[in-house]
Amino acid sequence: MEQSAANDVFFVLIGAVMVLAMHAGFAFLEVGTVRRKNQVNALVKIIADFAVSTVAYFFIGYSVAYGVGFFQGAEALTAMDGYALVKFFFLLTFAAAIPAIVSGGIAERAKFNPQLAATFVLVALVYPFFEGIVWNGRFGIQDALASGFGFAFHDFAGSVVVHAVGGWIALGAVLLLGHRRGRYGRNGAIYAHPPSSIPFLALGAWVLTVGWFGFNVMSAQTLDAVSGLVAVNSLMAMVGGVLAALAFGRYDPGFIHNGPLAGLVAVCAGSDLMHPLGALVTGIIAGGLFIWTFTQAQNRWRIDDVLGVWPLHGLCGAWGGIAAGIFGQQLLGGLGGVSLVSQIIGTVLGVAIAAAGGFIVYGTLKATVGIRLDPEAEFEGADLAIHRISAEPESE
């Protein structure tokens, strides 16, 4: 293997490992946010979902998105370009983020096995269908946007492809599950379920934040295409999200640690195009959007999204797709090469596919095998009801 090719293999492999580590961030963010009686379930869900996602993407999803399969002998696989294999690993870690996102929204009352079934279908069919449209030009949609509006839909690192898709799938699951018992009362009463561990919540947010620089920067996928602009824009958007959380979150540690994630979600799409000031504004708006939706809209509509994954990933991801079309313009200091109209159309298409997929997959499971724990199991907690052990059994 030539030195440049070997460098690319190592570059993408490190990116895959960094995004793989983000799944620990998803796990501990959920562990810290849910009540103590559901902490074990949060940890088990994330690693089990990753395993199911790997099988689904290996056998079906990667072929749906890119037309590449692995049904050949080991000798043929070892003869393949090593870059092709590590690229699969890298893109798998993105695909597995979909059920990890959903997991936070449906926490504390979802059945275990139906969720694994949903994970398989989502990663095998729903996610790669839109992934293939955007990142592989399938079905001619990108060509049509480029022909009609000058440029195709641009999503460098997945604001819409990964985050908005995951968040809008989660919204369907959350609505079909219904709110946790005791969360909302009559006459508009709202009863808080405080996080079980702020340190674990903060740890999860920090692991995600650090891993995100692999998520964004290494989306270049080759060493010679790597851009310091992506790194700086990711940094500025992250900081913007924190500042918005400080300003609007009333010093709530949950909001402050989710603020950087909101900014990073939003900057993914245009991180290779924006000026750092545009990335900062993108992050500030994303942080404010997350807090307002989580505190106002969700409670008003009685949407019990435990980790706020629809505001954080669904709405901030959609904002990121549009923000790329705004702050990527040369007039606002960006590099250009992007159409606001194409960004809006691509974002709306992603939201529509994800929302439809979420309602179809979880609606079918609800009608056939059920997706919610029975009242007794929910009251007892998923840890004991499903896994027969609590997070701290020695204290009982």
Side-chain angles (χ1 to χ4, degrees), residues 58 64 110 118 130 144 177 205 218 238 240-241 309:
F58 181 85
V64 170
F130 186 64
L177 270 171
M218 289 162 173
M238 179 200 83
V309 299

Side-chain angles (χ1 to χ4, degrees), residues 96-129:
I98 298 299
I101 290 169
V102 174
S103 175
I106 65 175
E108 301 200 313
R109 76 273 202 202
K111 287 183 175 180
F112 190 77
N113 288 333
Q115 169 57 17
L116 293 183
T119 292
F120 187 91
V121 177
L122 293 171
V123 177
L125 299 173
V126 179
Y127 167 76
F129 176 74

Side-chain angles (χ1 to χ4, degrees), residues 170-248:
L171 177 63
V174 167
L175 292 177
L176 288 166
L177 270 171
H179 58 76
R180 288 168 290 176
R181 289 174 173 84
R183 182 71 174 91
Y184 299 110
R186 296 179 179 178
N187 301 319
I190 301 171
Y191 302 100
H193 293 328
S196 60
S197 173
I198 296 300
F200 276 149
L201 186 157
L203 173 65
W206 269 109
V207 171
L208 284 166
T209 298
V210 172
W212 223 296
F213 287 84
F215 195 100
N216 282 3
V217 175
M218 289 162 173
S219 285
Q221 297 190 22
T222 58
L223 194 57
D224 62 357
V226 71
S227 170
L229 184 64
V230 176
V232 173
N233 282 342
S234 299
L235 176 67
M236 296 301 286
M238 179 200 83
V239 169
V242 174
L243 294 176
L246 283 170
F248 305 119

Side-chain angles (χ1 to χ4, degrees), residues 252-285:
D252 183 296
F255 289 144
I256 291 171
H257 284 93
N258 275 283
L261 309 184
L264 286 163
V265 164
V267 82
C268 288
S271 57
D272 62 328
L273 299 176
M274 298 177 180
H275 186 278
L277 290 178
L280 178 64
V281 174
T282 297
I284 290 172
I285 293 174

Side-chain angles (χ1 to χ4, degrees), residues 31-375:
V31 166
T33 305
V34 299
R35 289 170 289 181
R36 195 174 300 276
K37 62 185 180 180
N38 296 296
Q39 289 181 323
V40 172
N41 182 246
L43 291 169
V44 174
K45 275 192 301 179
I46 297 299
I47 196 166
D49 277 335
F50 188 87
V52 173
S53 296
T54 300
V55 173
Y57 202 62
F58 181 85
F59 283 101
I60 303 173
Y62 198 59
S63 179
V64 170
Y66 301 101
V68 176
F70 300 98
F71 294 97
Q72 49 194 306
E75 183 178 353
L77 288 177
T78 57
M80 284 178 66
D81 180 4
Y83 178 81
L85 294 175
V86 294
K87 181 180 177 181
F88 161 77
F89 181 17
F90 183 64
L91 292 172
L92 160 67
T93 60
F94 281 55
I98 298 299
I101 290 169
V102 174
S103 175
I106 65 175
E108 301 200 313
R109 76 273 202 202
K111 287 183 175 180
F112 190 77
N113 288 333
Q115 169 57 17
L116 293 183
T119 292
F120 187 91
V121 177
L122 293 171
V123 177
L125 299 173
V126 179
Y127 167 76
F129 176 74
F130 186 64
E131 178 190 18
I133 289 173
V134 177
W135 287 342
N136 195 36
R138 308 207 85 173
F139 310 114
I141 293 174
Q142 289 284 50
D143 290 339
L145 291 174
S147 176
F149 306 106
F151 299 99
F153 174 64
H154 184 87
D155 190 354
F156 179 71
S159 285
V160 179
V161 174
V162 178
H163 298 288
V165 167
W168 285 89
I169 288 173
L171 177 63
V174 167
L175 292 177
L176 288 166
L177 270 171
H179 58 76
R180 288 168 290 176
R181 289 174 173 84
R183 182 71 174 91
Y184 299 110
R186 296 179 179 178
N187 301 319
I190 301 171
Y191 302 100
H193 293 328
S196 60
S197 173
I198 296 300
F200 276 149
L201 186 157
L203 173 65
W206 269 109
V207 171
L208 284 166
T209 298
V210 172
W212 223 296
F213 287 84
F215 195 100
N216 282 3
V217 175
M218 289 162 173
S219 285
Q221 297 190 22
T222 58
L223 194 57
D224 62 357
V226 71
S227 170
L229 184 64
V230 176
V232 173
N233 282 342
S234 299
L235 176 67
M236 296 301 286
M238 179 200 83
V239 169
V242 174
L243 294 176
L246 283 170
F248 305 119
R250 299 181 179 180
Y251 307 109
D252 183 296
F255 289 144
I256 291 171
H257 284 93
N258 275 283
L261 309 184
L264 286 163
V265 164
V267 82
C268 288
S271 57
D272 62 328
L273 299 176
M274 298 177 180
H275 186 278
L277 290 178
L280 178 64
V281 174
T282 297
I284 290 172
I285 293 174
L289 177 63
F290 167 70
I291 292 171
W292 181 84
T293 310
F294 191 92
T295 57
Q296 301 298 320
Q298 288 205 141
N299 283 334
R300 184 179 299 119
W301 300 328
R302 299 168 74 91
I303 300 173
D304 190 14
D305 177 349
V306 180
L307 269 67
V309 299
W310 173 59
L312 182 67
H313 296 274
L315 294 180
C316 292
W319 157 239
I322 295 169
I326 299 173
F327 296 107
Q329 302 290 339
Q330 289 182 324
L331 183 65
L332 294 176
L335 295 180
V338 64
S339 162
L340 179 57
V341 176
S342 291
Q343 293 305 114
I344 293 172
I345 293 173
T347 299
V348 170
L349 179 62
V351 167
I353 290 172
F359 276 104
I360 291 170
V361 171
Y362 284 96
T364 301
L365 288 169
K366 181 178 181 178
T368 52
V369 298
I371 57 176
R372 181 158 184 159
L373 293 173
D374 62 54

